Amino acid sequence: QSQSVNRAMADSESRIAPLRLAFRRQCSSILSLHTAYKLIPDSGKVVVFDSELPVKHALVGLMENNIKAAPVWDSERRMYTGMVTVTDFIDIVVALYDRQDNKRKQGDKTNNNNTSNDDDDDDDQHRVSKTSVDLLEELDRQRICDWAAIKREQGTSIPTLVHILPDGTLLDAVRMLVANRIHRLPVLHRERENTVLGILSHHRIFRFLLDEFDRKHKGVLVKAREAAERKQAVDSRDAQEQQQQQQGQ
């Protein structure tokens, strides 16, 4: 039974392999023939945040414009320094809460030996309440550049804005997204004073790829499947003939 299962898996892999290879080749071909400019909407707009903007206002800006990320512009250095995303705001809240809670716990260590269990419960509730108040106050003061500094301390920031030029291919864009482990890639036009023309994402590239593949290369997978089926039939026939020869001997 184990051998039959292994044989079935091998047969399945032999059928899938040509399809997978054909699909990869066609995807690479399509992505290499089109540039990043192809995916920029004609009437699209890009929201850019100043690095001095409070993170709370940046979150409101993302929500009001129904977007998940925006480039950050440093007015002093006159350059883009990175991206701020919805995920960043979650990380900001967690990081600030941990910082405030650690400060509160360190301040309470000196009083632990002089309090009863009931007092400890009351102190815990007070500490959580006080930490939440401090967190809200800290959020009011936190700027995007402050969060960027925290990310540098944590070693999770990218030194410069990862971007692609309008004439860069979509294949290059995919490679940059994967290599830098990012989800969004700005399209930067240097001749227009470093204007961000648009932002590419995995979803946008994949959607374009499927549409283009369906429009131009609909028959490729069908032909590959037919070729795989023919190869399987030939292999099966050869195996049967070989088995008959062995039985005859």
Side-chain angles (χ1 to χ4, degrees), residues 46-138:
V46 177
V47 177
V48 178
F49 293 144
D50 190 274
S51 60
E52 296 291 329
L53 184 70
V55 294
K56 189 167 67 174
H57 294 172
L59 176 59
V60 173
L62 292 179
M63 295 174 61
E64 289 181 345
N65 290 277
N66 193 28
I67 55 178
K68 297 180 181 179
V72 177
W73 174 260
D74 190 324
S75 300
E76 183 176 349
R77 292 189 290 171
R78 298 193 60 79
M79 61 179 294
Y80 291 101
T81 57
M83 297 277 291
V84 61
T85 68
V86 174
T87 306
D88 283 328
F89 294 101
I90 300 175
D91 295 338
I92 289 171
V93 172
V94 172
L96 292 181
Y97 182 87
D98 289 342
R99 179 191 295 180
Q100 294 293 340
D101 193 44
N102 289 335
K103 288 181 180 179
R104 190 66 53 197
K105 288 179 179 178
Q106 292 175 0
D108 290 345
K109 284 183 179 179
T110 56
N111 300 324
N112 286 342
N113 296 330
N114 301 324
T115 57
S116 64
N117 292 335
D118 292 338
D119 292 336
D120 286 341
D121 294 337
D122 293 339
D123 289 343
D124 287 340
Q125 294 178 1
H126 175 72
R127 185 176 69 248
V128 172
S129 176
K130 179 63 176 174
T131 301
S132 300
V133 173
D134 291 342
L135 174 62
L136 294 176
E137 293 178 352
E138 183 68 18

Side-chain angles (χ1 to χ4, degrees), residues 46-49 69-74 77-85 88 144 148 151-152 157-165 176-177 180 182-190 193-200:
V46 177
V47 177
V48 178
F49 293 144
V72 177
W73 174 260
D74 190 324
R77 292 189 290 171
R78 298 193 60 79
M79 61 179 294
Y80 291 101
T81 57
M83 297 277 291
V84 61
T85 68
D88 283 328
I144 295 178
K151 292 180 69 176
R152 284 194 296 270
S157 65
I158 300 177
T160 59
L161 177 67
V162 180
H163 64 276
I164 190 170
L165 300 179
M176 295 174 70
L177 287 169
N180 293 279
I182 55 178
H183 299 283
R184 293 168 185 85
L185 183 66
V187 181
L188 197 62
H189 200 309
R190 295 190 181 279
E193 299 181 353
N194 290 335
T195 301
V196 177
L197 302 179
I199 299 177
L200 304 183

Side-chain angles (χ1 to χ4, degrees), residues 11 14-16 18-19 221-236:
D11 292 341
S14 65
R15 291 194 302 269
I16 295 175
L19 300 177
L221 290 180
V222 175
K223 294 179 180 179
R225 185 183 300 110
E226 293 175 349
E229 291 175 351
R230 288 195 299 269
K231 183 178 184 302
Q232 183 185 9
V234 172
D235 293 342
S236 178

Side-chain angles (χ1 to χ4, degrees), residues 16-28 220-221 224:
I16 295 175
L19 300 177
R20 185 185 296 119
L21 180 60
F23 183 72
R24 287 180 176 176
R25 287 177 175 174
Q26 291 302 318
C27 289
S28 298
V220 172
L221 290 180

